[in-house]
Amino acid sequence: MRIFEEMESEVRGYVRSFPTVFDVAKGSELFDENGTRYIDFFAGAGVLNYGHNHPMITEALIEHLQRDGIVHGLDKATIAKRAFLQKFRDTILAPRNLQYKVQFTGPTGTNAVETALKLARMVKQRSNVIAFTNGYHGLTMGALAATGNYFYKDESYGSRSNTAFMPFDGFLGEDVDTIDYLRKFLSDGSSGIDLPAAIIVETVQGEGGINVARIDWLKKLERLCREFDILLIIDDIQVGNGRTGTFFSFERAGIHPDMVTLSKSIGGGLPMALLLMRPELDQWQPGEHTGTFRGNNLAFVAATQALSFWDNDDLATAVKHKGEFIQKGLQKIADEFPQFNPKVRGLGMIWGLEMTPGVASETSAEAFERGLIIETSGADDQVLKFLPSLLIEEELVSEGLDIIRASLQALADKREKMMTGG
Ligand SMILES: Cc1ncc(COP(=O)(O)O)c(C=O)c1O
């Protein structure tokens, strides 16, 4: 591990949480250089919805490379890009009656968010944007301005400009309708909040602590946007691609966002990001917003394969079934450890176990010692975050949950010992 400590910037993060040198991975299992096995409840922070190295994807990539298929293409036309666009239209957009145009941005999520915010501001000729408490949209300047957690921000970055924060669903308590609150700010000419070009929102906040927006809240948000002529941007980078049980996370609310950002698992494990926009919003001049790595053809190849999981309803059904299995397992664990004040929340196959401060991080460390990779989320890392591959086998889910139980028990024993001075 010395080379990482000597050469890599202090900014490195996950290597500190999971301190080993990983070597190979398949499906929902990783192995380090010593052959130690780890179950994956992290899925590359949402990149690996289809698991590590799915054979269908790997084979297509090898074939593409062996025939010297174009790898880097900027936004030129290539066979790989054509196949992706056709597959995306036929498998995802058309069956949902969605007519979005597609813009490929630089390959990270924050690139897609940055593009959405820029386009919204340009189209509406307004600079303000509204984001929500505990939202996470990335860390380049425009996206960072819409990210809530001050861990990532500093006034010196000059990143707060033109973004106002409003309370997400539930932020002021279950009984407060935060859309009514937002409406008051928008309709009162002396509220101090400029009419925004767009409102950007995650339907389930992933980094912010697994906060699930209620369907009613999302519907009201959409109505509010229409009423005030504000563009609605759904950031589906983490909870799109089937994570909540439907391809897009907003399908459960039956809403029609003006723009949608997708990244992480859309590339089937490879870097890729895109922005979907209603056709009339596509007001770019040719080349007005570019990026050298927009056309990662290996990602197109992988993505086209990954989309074939959506040819039928099997995956959606499996996500529903496995999601219920995880929820039940987590609730059982929560009932066994009331001393940590646990709360279970989530949807589909993204779940959180909120506990008293410090417990989630310690559990993650204990779990790693026992062969499970799981991270935390929330402003104070107070939520243990369950984000396995959508294809994970139920036996591995059970095994992982047993590790969580054993880790919590170890923590409980340690605390008990400290209390009794043992
Ligand atoms: C909802 C959401 N938006 C944007 C991003 C930023 O994506 P990236 O880290 O690829 O820039 C993330 C990353 O976690 C995310 O969860």
Side-chain angles (χ1 to χ4, degrees), residues 14 44-47 107-113 135-140 143 147 200-208 234-240 261 263-264 272-273 375 385:
Y14 286 118
V47 169
T108 66
T110 196
N111 289 135
V113 169
Y136 184 90
H137 301 288
L139 298 183
T140 50
T147 290
I200 183 163
V201 66
E202 299 153 271
T203 70
V204 179
Q205 294 183 323
E207 299 306 299
I234 298 287
D235 183 346
D236 239 2
I237 285 166
Q238 183 152 166
V239 296
T261 53
S263 185
K264 299 208 187 239
M272 178 168 169
E375 72 163 336
K385 182 182 179 194

Coordinates of all heavy atoms in Angstrom, one line a residue, residues 14 44-47 107-113 135-140 143 147 200-208 234-240 261 263-264 272-273 375 385, ligand 1:
Y14 N -11.8 6.5 -0.8 CA -12.3 5.1 -0.6 C -11.1 4.1 -0.2 O -11.4 3.2 0.5 CB -12.9 4.6 -1.9 CG -14.3 5.2 -2.1 CD1 -14.6 6.0 -3.2 CD2 -15.3 5.0 -1.2 CE1 -15.8 6.6 -3.4 CE2 -16.6 5.6 -1.3 CZ -16.8 6.4 -2.4 OH -18.1 6.9 -2.6
G44 N -19.5 0.2 -6.9 CA -18.9 1.3 -7.6 C -19.7 2.6 -7.4 O -19.7 3.4 -8.4
A45 N -20.3 2.8 -6.3 CA -21.1 4.0 -6.0 C -22.3 4.1 -7.1 O -22.7 5.2 -7.4 CB -20.3 5.3 -6.0
G46 N -22.7 3.0 -7.6 CA -23.8 3.1 -8.5 C -23.5 2.9 -9.9 O -24.4 2.9 -10.8
V47 N -22.2 2.6 -10.2 CA -21.8 2.4 -11.6 C -22.1 0.9 -12.0 O -22.3 0.7 -13.2 CB -20.3 2.7 -11.7 CG1 -19.7 2.2 -13.1 CG2 -20.0 4.2 -11.6
P107 N -17.6 12.4 -19.7 CA -18.1 11.1 -19.2 C -18.4 11.0 -17.7 O -18.7 9.9 -17.3 CB -16.9 10.2 -19.5 CG -15.7 11.1 -19.4 CD -16.1 12.4 -19.9
T108 N -18.4 12.0 -17.0 CA -18.8 11.9 -15.5 C -20.2 12.5 -15.3 O -20.6 13.4 -16.1 CB -17.8 12.6 -14.6 OG1 -17.9 14.0 -14.9 CG2 -16.4 12.1 -14.9
G109 N -20.7 12.2 -14.2 CA -22.1 12.7 -13.8 C -22.1 14.2 -13.7 O -23.0 14.8 -14.2
T110 N -21.0 14.7 -13.1 CA -21.0 16.2 -12.9 C -21.0 16.9 -14.3 O -21.5 18.0 -14.4 CB -19.8 16.6 -12.0 OG1 -20.0 17.9 -11.5 CG2 -18.5 16.4 -12.6
N111 N -20.4 16.3 -15.3 CA -20.4 16.9 -16.7 C -21.9 17.0 -17.2 O -22.2 18.0 -17.8 CB -19.7 16.0 -17.7 CG -18.2 16.0 -17.5 OD1 -17.5 15.0 -17.5 ND2 -17.6 17.2 -17.3
A112 N -22.7 16.0 -16.9 CA -24.0 16.0 -17.4 C -24.8 17.1 -16.6 O -25.7 17.8 -17.2 CB -24.7 14.6 -17.2
V113 N -24.6 17.2 -15.3 CA -25.3 18.2 -14.5 C -24.9 19.6 -15.0 O -25.8 20.5 -15.1 CB -25.0 18.0 -13.0 CG1 -25.5 19.2 -12.2 CG2 -25.6 16.7 -12.5
G135 N -29.1 17.6 -1.3 CA -28.9 17.2 -2.7 C -27.4 17.0 -3.0 O -26.6 17.6 -2.3
Y136 N -27.1 16.1 -3.9 CA -25.7 15.9 -4.4 C -25.8 15.8 -5.9 O -26.4 15.0 -6.5 CB -25.1 14.7 -3.8 CG -23.7 14.5 -4.2 CD1 -22.7 15.1 -3.4 CD2 -23.3 13.9 -5.3 CE1 -21.3 15.0 -3.7 CE2 -21.9 13.8 -5.7 CZ -21.0 14.3 -4.9 OH -19.6 14.2 -5.2
H137 N -25.0 16.8 -6.5 CA -25.1 16.8 -8.0 C -23.7 16.8 -8.6 O -23.6 16.9 -9.8 CB -25.9 18.0 -8.5 CG -27.3 17.9 -8.0 ND1 -28.2 17.1 -8.4 CD2 -27.9 18.7 -7.0 CE1 -29.4 17.3 -7.8 NE2 -29.2 18.2 -6.9
G138 N -22.6 16.6 -7.8 CA -21.3 16.6 -8.4 C -20.5 17.8 -7.8 O -20.9 18.6 -7.1
L139 N -19.2 17.8 -8.3 CA -18.3 18.8 -7.7 C -17.6 19.8 -8.6 O -16.6 20.4 -8.2 CB -17.3 18.0 -6.8 CG -17.9 17.2 -5.7 CD1 -16.8 16.5 -4.9 CD2 -18.7 18.0 -4.7
T140 N -18.0 19.8 -9.9 CA -17.5 21.0 -10.7 C -18.3 22.2 -10.3 O -19.4 22.0 -9.6 CB -17.6 20.7 -12.2 OG1 -18.9 20.2 -12.5 CG2 -16.6 19.6 -12.6
A143 N -22.3 22.4 -10.7 CA -22.9 21.3 -10.0 C -22.6 21.4 -8.5 O -23.5 21.1 -7.6 CB -22.3 20.0 -10.5
T147 N -24.9 21.4 -4.8 CA -24.7 20.3 -3.8 C -24.8 20.9 -2.4 O -24.2 22.0 -2.1 CB -23.3 19.7 -4.1 OG1 -23.4 19.0 -5.3 CG2 -22.8 18.8 -3.0
I200 N -33.5 21.5 -9.8 CA -32.8 20.2 -10.0 C -33.0 19.4 -8.8 O -32.9 19.9 -7.6 CB -31.3 20.4 -10.3 CG1 -30.6 19.1 -10.6 CG2 -30.5 21.2 -9.3 CD1 -29.3 19.1 -11.3
V201 N -33.4 18.1 -9.0 CA -33.7 17.3 -7.9 C -33.4 15.8 -8.1 O -33.5 15.4 -9.3 CB -35.3 17.5 -7.5 CG1 -36.2 17.0 -8.6 CG2 -35.6 16.8 -6.2
E202 N -33.1 15.1 -7.1 CA -33.0 13.6 -7.1 C -34.3 13.1 -6.5 O -34.7 13.6 -5.5 CB -31.9 13.1 -6.2 CG -30.5 13.6 -6.6 CD -29.6 13.6 -5.4 OE1 -29.5 14.6 -4.7 OE2 -28.9 12.6 -5.1
T203 N -34.9 12.1 -7.1 CA -36.1 11.6 -6.6 C -35.9 10.7 -5.3 O -36.7 10.6 -4.5 CB -36.9 10.7 -7.6 OG1 -36.2 9.5 -7.8 CG2 -37.1 11.4 -8.9
V204 N -34.7 10.2 -5.2 CA -34.2 9.6 -4.0 C -32.8 10.1 -3.8 O -31.9 9.9 -4.7 CB -34.1 8.0 -4.1 CG1 -33.5 7.4 -2.8 CG2 -35.5 7.4 -4.5
Q205 N -32.5 10.8 -2.7 CA -31.2 11.4 -2.5 C -30.2 10.3 -2.1 O -30.4 9.7 -1.0 CB -31.3 12.5 -1.5 CG -32.1 13.7 -2.0 CD -32.1 14.8 -1.0 OE1 -32.1 14.6 0.3 NE2 -32.1 16.0 -1.4
G206 N -29.2 10.0 -2.9 CA -28.3 8.9 -2.6 C -27.2 9.3 -1.7 O -27.1 8.8 -0.5
E207 N -26.4 10.3 -2.1 CA -25.3 10.8 -1.2 C -25.9 11.5 0.1 O -25.2 11.5 1.1 CB -24.4 11.7 -1.9 CG -23.7 11.1 -3.1 CD -23.0 9.8 -2.8 OE1 -22.0 9.8 -2.0 OE2 -23.4 8.7 -3.4
G208 N -27.0 12.1 -0.1 CA -27.6 12.9 1.0 C -28.2 12.0 2.1 O -28.8 12.6 3.1
I234 N -34.4 16.3 -13.6 CA -34.3 15.1 -12.6 C -32.9 14.6 -12.8 O -32.5 14.2 -13.9 CB -35.3 14.0 -13.0 CG1 -36.7 14.5 -12.8 CG2 -35.0 12.8 -12.1 CD1 -37.2 14.7 -11.3
D235 N -32.1 14.6 -11.7 CA -30.8 14.1 -11.7 C -30.9 12.6 -11.4 O -31.1 12.2 -10.2 CB -29.9 14.8 -10.7 CG -28.5 14.3 -10.7 OD1 -28.2 13.2 -11.3 OD2 -27.6 14.9 -10.1
D236 N -30.9 11.8 -12.4 CA -31.0 10.3 -12.2 C -29.7 9.6 -12.4 O -29.7 8.4 -12.7 CB -32.0 9.8 -13.3 CG -33.2 9.1 -12.7 OD1 -33.3 9.1 -11.4 OD2 -34.1 8.6 -13.4
I237 N -28.6 10.3 -12.0 CA -27.3 9.7 -12.2 C -27.1 8.5 -11.3 O -26.5 7.5 -11.7 CB -26.2 10.8 -12.0 CG1 -26.2 11.7 -13.2 CG2 -24.9 10.3 -11.6 CD1 -25.5 13.0 -13.0
Q238 N -27.6 8.6 -10.0 CA -27.4 7.5 -9.1 C -28.6 6.6 -9.0 O -28.4 5.4 -8.9 CB -27.1 8.1 -7.7 CG -26.8 7.0 -6.7 CD -25.9 7.3 -5.5 OE1 -25.9 6.6 -4.6 NE2 -25.2 8.4 -5.6
V239 N -29.8 7.1 -9.1 CA -31.0 6.2 -8.9 C -31.7 5.9 -10.2 O -32.8 5.3 -10.1 CB -31.9 6.8 -7.8 CG1 -31.2 6.8 -6.5 CG2 -32.5 8.1 -8.1
G240 N -31.2 6.3 -11.3 CA -31.7 5.9 -12.6 C -31.2 4.5 -12.9 O -30.7 3.8 -12.0
T261 N -30.6 13.9 -16.3 CA -29.2 13.5 -16.4 C -29.0 12.1 -16.0 O -29.6 11.5 -15.1 CB -28.3 14.4 -15.4 OG1 -28.9 14.3 -14.1 CG2 -28.3 15.8 -15.8
S263 N -25.8 9.0 -15.8 CA -24.4 8.6 -15.9 C -24.3 7.3 -15.1 O -25.1 6.4 -15.2 CB -23.5 9.7 -15.3 OG -22.2 9.4 -15.5
K264 N -23.1 7.1 -14.4 CA -22.9 5.9 -13.6 C -23.2 4.6 -14.5 O -22.6 4.4 -15.4 CB -23.6 5.9 -12.3 CG -23.2 7.1 -11.4 CD -23.3 6.9 -10.0 CE -23.0 8.1 -9.1 NZ -21.9 7.9 -8.2
M272 N -19.4 7.2 -18.8 CA -20.3 7.7 -19.8 C -21.4 8.6 -19.1 O -21.8 8.2 -18.0 CB -21.0 6.5 -20.5 CG -22.1 7.0 -21.6 SD -22.5 5.5 -22.5 CE -23.9 6.1 -23.4
A273 N -21.8 9.6 -19.7 CA -22.8 10.5 -19.2 C -23.6 11.1 -20.3 O -23.1 11.3 -21.4 CB -22.2 11.6 -18.3
E375 N -20.6 1.4 2.0 CA -20.2 2.7 2.3 C -21.3 3.4 3.1 O -22.4 2.8 3.4 CB -19.8 3.5 1.1 CG -20.9 4.0 0.2 CD -20.5 5.1 -0.7 OE1 -19.6 5.9 -0.4 OE2 -21.2 5.2 -1.8
K385 N -25.2 2.6 3.7 CA -25.9 2.7 2.4 C -25.8 1.3 1.7 O -24.7 0.9 1.4 CB -25.2 3.8 1.6 CG -25.8 4.0 0.3 CD -24.9 5.1 -0.4 CE -25.4 5.4 -1.8 NZ -24.4 6.2 -2.5
Ligands
LIG1 C1 -27.2 12.2 -8.1 C2 -25.8 12.5 -8.5 N1 -25.5 13.5 -9.4 C3 -24.3 13.7 -9.8 C4 -23.2 12.9 -9.3 C5 -21.8 13.2 -9.8 O1 -21.3 12.2 -10.6 P1 -19.7 12.1 -10.8 O2 -19.1 11.7 -9.5 O3 -19.6 11.0 -11.9 O4 -19.2 13.4 -11.3 C6 -23.4 11.9 -8.4 C7 -22.3 11.1 -7.9 O5 -22.4 10.4 -6.9 C8 -24.8 11.7 -8.0 O6 -25.0 10.7 -7.1

